[in-house]
Amino acid sequence: MTLELLLRYLHFVSIFAIVGSLVSEHLLLKPILPKKSIDLLSKIDGIYGLAVLSLLGAGLTLWLGGHGKPTEFYSENPIFHFKLGLFVGIGLLSIYPTVFFIKNRKGDPEEIVTVPRVIFWMIRIELVLVFLIPILAGLMAKGIGLGS
Ligand code: HEM
């Protein structure tokens, strides 16, 4: 029970960190930025990456670790698979911004870099997906979606 509580706690705080880092990235992004700002964005993106890993670790353990409901409770629910699909979508959307930040953070801190418009949109769509997932999580936690 204690471990399950800890995993749920980790799952939640990771979501807070993901939302915090994505909102910060979105607020800091501008069409043109000096490399020193890209470096800051890259650091925030690193926090985002760690939060995604801890979210995934806690989620996988809740699902497969047998610390709460049985594994089949989730595996047999299509809403859970939809939730996982959206999570994978978020992961895929974050690849390009992450690579862009890493590639452009080094060098003269004052040098100006043009940020591709698509990066703004990728972060926006990631945020929308992160805000949709808790609805699916709430439904699946109640067993809605499971055949009777
Ligand atoms: C951005 C991604 C995610 C968000 C926003 C999210 C959100 C949530 C929320 C809000 C809950 C609590 C549901 C409730 O008690 O009403 C939850 C529970 C859970 N999540 Fe996630 N989750 C995400 C990713 C994942 C992933 C990747 C996995 C598995 C690999 C996962 C597995 C679980 C499990 C097993 C539970 C326990 C449900 C229960 O109480 O029975 N989650 N999630």
Side-chain angles (χ1 to χ4, degrees), residues 58-76:
L60 283 173
T61 319
L62 280 168
W63 174 22
L64 305 169
H67 297 294
K69 297 163 186 157
T71 299
E72 305 76 51
F73 179 83
Y74 306 111
S75 307
E76 288 171 9

Side-chain angles (χ1 to χ4, degrees), residues 72-120:
E72 305 76 51
F73 179 83
Y74 306 111
S75 307
E76 288 171 9
N77 192 335
I79 295 181
F80 176 64
H81 292 283
F82 188 33
K83 172 179 151 155
L84 287 188
L86 293 190
F87 179 73
V88 171
I90 293 171
L92 293 176
L93 280 166
S94 69
I95 294 173
Y96 180 54
T98 300
V99 171
F100 180 83
F101 297 147
I102 291 174
K103 272 192 174 164
N104 289 282
R105 69 185 166 165
K106 293 260 183 275
D108 178 0
E110 301 305 329
E111 189 186 328
I112 299 296
V113 174
T114 304
V115 179
R117 198 75 206 142
V118 70
I119 290 189
F120 290 76

Side-chain angles (χ1 to χ4, degrees), residues 4 8 11-12 15 18 55-64 69 73-74 80 83-84 86-87 90 129-135 137-142:
E4 189 194 345
R8 284 174 182 280
H11 204 60
F12 276 118
I15 296 166
I18 287 173
L55 177 81
L56 184 62
L60 283 173
T61 319
L62 280 168
W63 174 22
L64 305 169
K69 297 163 186 157
F73 179 83
Y74 306 111
F80 176 64
K83 172 179 151 155
L84 287 188
L86 293 190
F87 179 73
I90 293 171
L129 297 183
V130 172
F131 282 114
L132 278 179
I133 290 179
I135 304 170
L139 291 171
M140 85 183 189
K142 283 196 164 299

